[in-house]
Amino acid sequence: PTRRSSDLLNAEMVPPRQIPPTGDPVWFRLLESEESIDIRILGLRLLLARCRQGFSELSSNDVKIMRVNTVRRFFIKHEKQLDHEISQLVRLRRDSQAGAEA
């Protein structure tokens, strides 16, 4: 099927989902259990529970980054099913940036 120019225009107007980069503080807050989000996907709920265990006590930043990457890869792999969760991450990120500017 061919796309009409109006379809292309509408596709460009919708911003792509933004999964935060690895170093974004939102991941660390999520894994330190400071931020709670509503999770609808059981696999993500289980993964977060496993990755959160002892996260704040870890002394090695490299190990923390590995856990963040594990969660982030899940978000990337299952992006289409995680619309609800990604929108919450984006909102948390935006809220924390607004709070830092104030």
Side-chain angles (χ1 to χ4, degrees):
T2 59
R3 297 182 91 181
R4 298 184 311 260
S5 61
S6 62
D7 291 340
L8 291 173
L9 183 62
N10 289 336
E12 291 172 8
M13 290 172 58
V14 176
R17 279 283 172 210
Q18 294 267 340
I19 296 176
T22 299
D24 195 294
V26 74
W27 295 115
F28 292 88
R29 287 195 315 272
L30 182 65
L31 291 177
E32 289 169 348
S33 299
E34 289 180 24
E35 299 293 344
S36 179
I37 63 171
D38 179 42
I39 300 168
R40 296 179 179 173
I41 305 295
L42 178 61
L44 177 59
R45 190 174 295 151
L46 296 172
L47 177 65
L48 278 176
R50 191 183 79 213
C51 288
R52 281 177 170 163
Q53 290 177 338
F55 185 83
S56 58
E57 288 86 36
L58 292 173
S59 59
S60 171
N61 201 39
D62 292 339
V63 177
K64 288 183 176 185
I65 296 284
M66 287 173 53
R67 290 199 186 177
V68 165
N69 277 333
T70 299
V71 174
R72 187 171 182 272
R73 278 194 306 269
F74 187 93
F75 271 84
I76 292 168
K77 183 176 181 181
H78 301 285
E79 184 174 8
K80 291 180 181 170
Q81 293 86 21
L82 296 173
D83 210 34
H84 176 69
E85 291 81 358
I86 292 170
S87 65
Q88 292 178 81
L89 274 183
V90 169
R91 187 172 53 252
L92 286 173
R93 187 175 183 215
R94 185 182 59 236
D95 292 349
S96 68
Q97 287 172 346
E101 292 172 2

